[in-house]
Amino acid sequence: MQTAAIAFSPSLSLASTHRKLSAFSFNPLSHRPKRFSHGSALVSATPKLSPIGCSLKDRGWISNPNPSIPEPQSDAVVVRATAESADAAESPKSKPLVETLVLGSLFGLWYLFNIYFNIYNKQVLKAFHYPMTVTLVQFSLGSALIVLMWTFNLYKRPKVTGAQLAAILPLALVHTLGNLFTNMSLGKVAVSFTHTIKAMEPFFSVLFSALFLGEFPSLWVVSSLLPIVGGVALASMTEASFNWAGFLSAMASNITFQSRNVLSKKLMVKKEESLDNINLFSIITIMSFFLMAPLALTMEGVKFTPSYLTAAGLNVKQLYTRSLIAALCFHAYQQVSYMILQRVSPVTHSVGNCVKRVVVIVTSVLFFRTPVSSTNAIGTGIALAGVFLYSRVKGIKPKAKTA
């Protein structure tokens, strides 16, 4: 939509008076026009005329302006300016509504992709006990989607320097380990218990920020950590599927993911215009694939071939389908998460992540019919309430002291 300023340009004024080309024309933007003879007509040399205006004057179709006869005002310009003013008045009202609908849709997709990832990923890991290979499949599919996205210009491919890649490499390393430990935990214990343990992420975030960044928490933040730690401890003591391998893997996932956040602040990765959050995540995913491939092949070998799966008595088609859906949802929910982070504040994103964890826990319990005792449910609820409280008090800034 063009603005009213464009509608009032000299070229449009000339065009609006086409029915009186033989009459006198006056340009209010010109200053003391110089006149010279051109055949039988006098033509004014007006600066900065549009191509249309210049063409008309070169052909002697517009005569010399006479200040005594005012130029008739164009009704078309007035109507257009009025209509555009009305559009400009309506656009600020409709824009927030559209943005709200888009943001709500992104949150819905974030939760939906996360639910499907955890369900299908758990089914795969329950039948196929090779978490490194499963993690490699997820990174490989994500990398392939990213390359296609850049190849077909669905998203602008970033220009990355060697210094940026060197700074991103530690982030990719802890990102790889964090997802690997999560899959190891999901293969050992219930989905609900893994996510209950992962509710401890704020505790490690505060701890590492204080140790390595010198960012000490406020009293409110420390108070919010108490129900998190107490709730996870209570849920762990009463968890039916508890085993130390699954518990320690989930804790290791917390440590690595929060180390990634601290490293991103410590190393201060320079994100230029071509390297936003989505492209940063895309580069990390590709680097994680190259980091995970030699580790998985060395530790677990080639175990995802149809011949091996058939010999192990597994349904090849079913396992491949579930692995594909889990990998697609794995990449999709992380991409959507970064899209949301570009639109909202970190505090709002943290609150949404807390709600997402609640949704995943409830849906996984209902889908897998996980036995949950009342004490276990209370512990999980206390931990999640502490996470929500942490996400709220984290954004509280101390008031500046007045003299």
Side-chain angles (χ1 to χ4, degrees):
M1 182 181 69
Q2 294 178 337
T3 61
I6 299 176
F8 282 109
S9 63
S11 61
L12 291 178
S13 297
L14 288 172
S16 63
T17 58
H18 62 278
R19 58 183 179 274
K20 292 186 179 182
L21 288 174
S22 61
F24 298 109
S25 175
F26 174 66
N27 188 346
L29 297 181
S30 62
H31 302 281
R32 295 182 181 180
K34 297 178 182 180
R35 293 179 286 180
F36 57 90
S37 298
H38 184 73
S40 60
L42 292 175
V43 182
S44 63
T46 306
K48 298 182 180 178
L49 283 173
S50 68
I52 297 177
C54 292
S55 176
L56 292 174
K57 286 187 175 294
D58 289 341
R59 288 166 175 78
W61 292 352
I62 300 179
S63 59
N64 183 51
N66 189 345
S68 63
I69 302 177
E71 180 186 12
Q73 189 176 6
S74 172
D75 295 336
V77 176
V78 175
V79 172
R80 185 176 180 184
T82 304
E84 289 176 353
S85 299
D87 292 342
E90 291 176 1
S91 59
K93 296 180 181 179
S94 59
K95 190 175 181 181
L97 177 61
V98 174
E99 291 178 351
T100 302
L101 292 175
V102 171
L103 185 60
S105 300
L106 289 175
F107 269 99
L109 290 174
W110 189 24
Y111 293 175
L112 187 65
F113 287 139
N114 218 290
I115 291 171
Y116 274 95
F117 164 71
N118 281 277
I119 289 176
Y120 281 100
N121 197 37
K122 176 63 179 179
Q123 290 177 333
V124 171
L125 289 167
K126 191 175 181 180
F128 186 75
H129 307 291
Y130 297 97
M132 292 184 180
T133 303
V134 172
T135 306
L136 177 61
V137 170
Q138 293 167 0
F139 284 140
S140 62
L141 183 62
S143 300
L145 292 175
I146 291 166
V147 172
L148 290 175
M149 178 179 68
W150 287 342
T151 302
F152 292 100
N153 291 324
L154 299 177
Y155 203 84
K156 185 179 179 182
R157 184 175 60 183
K159 296 179 180 179
V160 189
T161 63
Q164 284 180 315
L165 291 177
I168 296 173
L169 181 59
L171 304 181
L173 178 60
V174 292
H175 178 78
T176 304
L177 293 175
N179 285 283
L180 173 60
F181 287 134
T182 299
N183 283 335
M184 291 174 64
S185 179
L186 287 172
K188 296 293 184 179
V189 296
V191 175
S192 57
F193 185 51
T194 296
H195 283 275
T196 299
I197 301 171
K198 286 177 70 65
M200 285 277 291
E201 285 181 352
F203 172 81
F204 291 102
S205 177
V206 172
L207 177 62
F208 292 157
S209 295
L211 291 177
F212 301 107
L213 300 178
E215 298 177 359
F216 295 97
S218 64
L219 180 61
W220 285 107
V221 171
V222 175
S223 300
S224 67
L225 297 178
L226 297 178
I228 296 177
V229 176
V232 171
L234 183 61
S236 300
M237 290 188 295
T238 57
E239 173 61 36
S241 65
F242 178 88
N243 64 70
W244 283 106
F247 176 81
L248 293 177
S249 297
M251 280 296 182
S253 174
N254 288 335
I255 294 172
T256 50
F257 277 134
Q258 296 313 307
S259 298
R260 179 188 61 185
N261 296 340
V262 172
L263 280 173
S264 63
K265 295 180 182 180
K266 190 76 173 178
L267 299 175
M268 294 299 291
V269 177
K270 184 180 180 181
K271 293 192 295 181
E272 299 176 356
E273 186 177 346
S274 61
L275 190 59
D276 55 12
N277 285 335
I278 294 178
N279 276 327
L280 177 62
F281 165 71
S282 300
I283 294 173
I284 288 176
T285 300
I286 294 175
M287 295 178 78
S288 295
F289 165 73
F290 286 106
L291 290 171
M292 193 70 229
L295 180 63
L297 294 176
T298 303
M299 299 296 294
E300 295 180 350
V302 182
K303 295 290 193 301
F304 213 60
T305 60
S307 57
Y308 179 86
L309 296 177
T310 303
L314 299 175
N315 188 325
V316 178
K317 182 179 179 180
Q318 186 183 71
L319 188 66
Y320 278 3
T321 302
R322 290 176 177 177
S323 299
L324 177 63
I325 296 175
L328 286 172
C329 292
F330 169 77
H331 182 74
Y333 90 75
Q334 296 196 63
Q335 282 278 17
V336 173
S337 175
Y338 279 98
M339 292 171 66
I340 293 174
L341 191 58
Q342 287 183 333
R343 288 171 167 81
V344 300
S345 66
V347 175
T348 303
H349 188 273
S350 181
V351 173
N353 190 53
C354 175
V355 177
K356 179 209 70 178
R357 202 173 297 282
V358 175
V359 172
V360 170
I361 289 176
V362 172
T363 53
S364 65
V365 167
L366 295 176
F367 183 85
F368 293 108
R369 297 180 181 179
T370 307
V372 179
S373 64
S374 57
T375 306
N376 183 272
I378 292 173
T380 302
I382 292 174
L384 294 175
V387 173
F388 179 79
L389 180 61
Y390 168 81
S391 63
R392 300 301 299 172
V393 302
K394 184 182 178 182
I396 298 178
K397 297 181 180 180
K399 296 181 179 180
K401 297 181 180 180
T402 57

